[in-house]
Amino acid sequence: MPSPAAKNPLKHLHPADYLGLARLATQATVGVATISEEVHQNVWRTLGVPGGQRAGQARGVTGFVYKSVRGVTEVVATGIDAVLGRLVALLEAVTPDRPSSNEREAVLAALNGVMGDQLVATGNPLATPMTFRHQGHVLCTEHLKTLAPPAINGKILLLIHGLCMNDLQWTQNLDASGAASYDHGQALASSLGYTPIYLRYNSGLHTSQNGRELATQLEELLRNWPMPVQELTILAHSMGGLITRGAVHLATQQGLQWPDRLKSIVFLGTPHHGAPMERAGNWIDVVLGSTRYSAPFAKIGQLRSAGITDLRYGHVLDEDWVGHDRFRRSPDRRQPLALPRNVNCYAVAATTAPKRGTLAERLLGDGLVPIPSALGQHPQPERRLAFDKSEQLIVYRKNHWDLLRAPEVARQLLRWLTPD
């Protein structure tokens, strides 16, 4: 039987969500009008009819109609924004600590992954800020002051999720009923005595932006930790691994202290050298942009976030994307970046193929990330990541998300992270 909340999805919404959704509706209306006008103009130009003063903009009555649609939408949106803004402030003052459902958090995570950079650029309240979490609570300075053993210790395990996900999704159901679940963080806490800390972030931002923010926040976290930190270990899934590499590099450059505590990094299905799915998305941009009729529709494909386009080749640093059109087909221009020194680094790759399948099947990987990319292998020596054979694991008949609950992954994590 579906729950009452499932029957009424509005129960999942918080007051600020209505404001964010209204802003998204405004952007959608203006965007559709702009695309329609460009298609209109491209057809007229093909027929030899003179166009407007600017490419993609109609003139005369037609141009006035399109301009009016955008103008009226923006005026109405301004009024709605003002009214909702006051209402949201009032409602949040009445219920400041309203709990959020897992369903709401999953939708927000997906939305941020797809267009999180645009949410930030437009000041949309649906944008997810970067936070550390422990036992469901945000680890702000005030909350840290309330923590003490045995709730925490000086051995920290930081878990970093991937694209379109959040910290709650480290807990994976093991059966259809949802009665049994598994979480790498809780398992390692029980077996090896870690304090599991979960990162939540906007996966639609550039990986280097998130890496920079993580480097800064991690320094602050360890500085305010209630006791000396003896060890920091990072377990990163998918995009989280790229953010981790960027954060370590930037922190080392800036002379921050937390890399001195970093003992191990485990990468689960990280696209160190990119993912073919995003490269296919780039080809869609190229194909749609090849004719004047389809070119306006390329903007739909270009709604995808900076975080997603960073996965084309596995961008880690600002230099990998600054000054480049991220939607233009181009070769791999990444700056080579080796694994951090004096840190134990491990890589786990998955493939949906059986162990005795063909080489081609196995190399396809987990449905999103090919095995060579997950293991840091590259034909150019300067781009290869030096994972020793003993620091690699390939799991079979598993997809990208199975890495969060596969028993063979759990066993290998225990072997790698158990002190000698």
Side-chain angles (χ1 to χ4, degrees):
M1 291 290 292
S3 66
K7 294 179 180 178
N8 182 11
L10 293 180
K11 290 185 178 181
H12 294 292
L13 295 177
H14 286 198
D17 297 343
Y18 292 98
L19 179 59
L21 291 171
R23 291 180 181 175
L24 282 179
T26 301
Q27 288 178 260
T29 303
V30 172
V32 168
T34 300
I35 290 174
S36 299
E37 184 176 15
E38 289 191 21
V39 172
H40 188 129
Q41 279 302 94
N42 289 341
V43 172
W44 277 135
R45 287 207 312 273
T46 302
L47 297 175
V49 179
Q53 294 181 350
R54 296 175 60 185
Q57 292 188 355
R59 65 179 183 177
V61 175
T62 305
F64 176 74
V65 170
Y66 285 118
K67 185 176 180 180
S68 297
V69 170
R70 287 191 291 266
V72 169
T73 301
E74 290 171 355
V75 169
V76 172
T78 301
I80 293 175
D81 203 78
V83 173
L84 282 179
R86 290 192 291 270
L87 182 60
V88 166
L90 178 63
L91 292 175
E92 290 188 338
V94 176
T95 56
D97 299 319
R98 180 180 177 179
S100 180
S101 66
N102 287 0
E103 292 86 351
R104 173 180 179 270
E105 297 299 341
V107 171
L108 287 178
L111 181 63
N112 276 262
V114 172
M115 54 184 303
D117 53 343
Q118 296 181 53
L119 296 179
V120 170
T122 57
N124 195 303
L126 297 176
T128 299
M130 181 178 286
T131 53
F132 294 111
R133 293 172 178 260
H134 175 252
Q135 296 182 348
H137 298 284
V138 175
L139 275 180
C140 58
T141 304
E142 292 73 20
H143 184 67
L144 276 171
K145 293 177 181 178
T146 67
L147 298 179
I152 63 169
N153 58 37
K155 190 177 178 182
I156 299 175
L157 173 68
L158 176 62
L159 295 96
I160 306 178
H161 63 77
L163 176 71
C164 291
M165 299 186 74
N166 63 39
D167 54 293
L168 301 175
Q169 290 164 307
W170 280 97
T171 301
Q172 293 282 303
N173 292 331
L174 297 179
D175 56 33
S177 68
S181 61
Y182 177 80
D183 176 355
H184 285 311
Q186 296 303 321
L188 291 171
S190 177
S191 301
L192 300 179
Y194 283 106
T195 299
I197 303 298
Y198 299 81
L199 184 73
R200 178 180 294 189
Y201 66 96
N202 180 345
S203 59
L205 297 177
H206 279 292
T207 52
S208 61
Q209 291 176 310
N210 278 320
R212 185 181 303 106
E213 180 68 13
L214 174 58
T216 301
Q217 289 204 23
L218 202 46
E219 184 78 357
E220 188 70 13
L221 177 70
L222 267 64
R223 182 184 298 121
N224 292 295
W225 198 252
M227 61 194 65
V229 176
Q230 290 87 32
E231 176 188 332
L232 170 65
T233 289
I234 297 178
L235 177 60
H237 179 237
S238 194
M239 175 189 279
L242 300 178
I243 293 170
T244 299
R245 290 174 57 206
V248 176
H249 175 75
L250 290 169
T252 303
Q253 280 192 327
Q254 296 169 12
L256 302 184
Q257 300 300 308
W258 66 264
D260 295 337
R261 300 287 181 269
L262 183 59
K263 180 179 180 182
S264 304
I265 305 173
V266 182
F267 300 96
L268 300 180
T270 294
H272 293 292
H273 300 305
M277 292 290 284
E278 165 47 31
R279 288 198 281 274
N282 184 222
W283 273 101
I284 291 173
D285 290 336
V286 174
V287 171
L288 288 177
S290 62
T291 71
R292 64 175 62 182
Y293 305 109
S294 61
F297 295 101
K299 293 185 177 180
I300 297 175
Q302 292 174 3
L303 282 175
R304 66 188 191 277
S305 67
I308 291 177
T309 54
D310 279 345
L311 297 182
R312 186 176 308 150
Y313 294 118
H315 290 172
V316 173
L317 307 175
D318 288 341
E319 295 88 335
D320 296 338
W321 59 268
V322 169
H324 305 303
D325 181 355
R326 63 191 181 92
F327 295 113
R328 184 176 182 179
R329 183 168 171 260
S330 60
D332 185 358
R333 297 194 183 97
R334 287 176 301 152
Q335 299 295 313
L337 181 65
L339 294 172
R341 296 181 178 180
N342 304 318
V343 177
N344 301 318
C345 293
Y346 309 97
V348 180
T351 176
T352 55
K355 190 170 185 178
R356 296 186 180 278
T358 67
L359 179 62
E361 288 177 328
R362 295 199 302 271
L363 291 180
L364 286 176
D366 58 21
L368 290 179
V369 181
I371 288 179
S373 182
L375 298 182
Q377 299 167 354
H378 200 279
Q380 299 174 8
E382 66 274 14
R383 295 192 187 279
R384 292 176 194 155
L385 301 183
F387 292 106
D388 189 78
K389 286 294 183 181
S390 63
E391 300 165 344
Q392 301 176 16
L393 172 69
I394 301 175
V395 293
Y396 298 89
R397 298 185 186 275
K398 297 291 187 292
N399 64 36
H400 192 62
W401 295 275
D402 288 336
L403 290 169
L404 300 177
R405 59 184 177 187
E408 52 267 59
V409 174
R411 290 191 293 269
Q412 188 62 60
L413 290 178
L414 192 59
R415 283 193 289 267
W416 278 338
L417 300 179
T418 297
D420 293 336

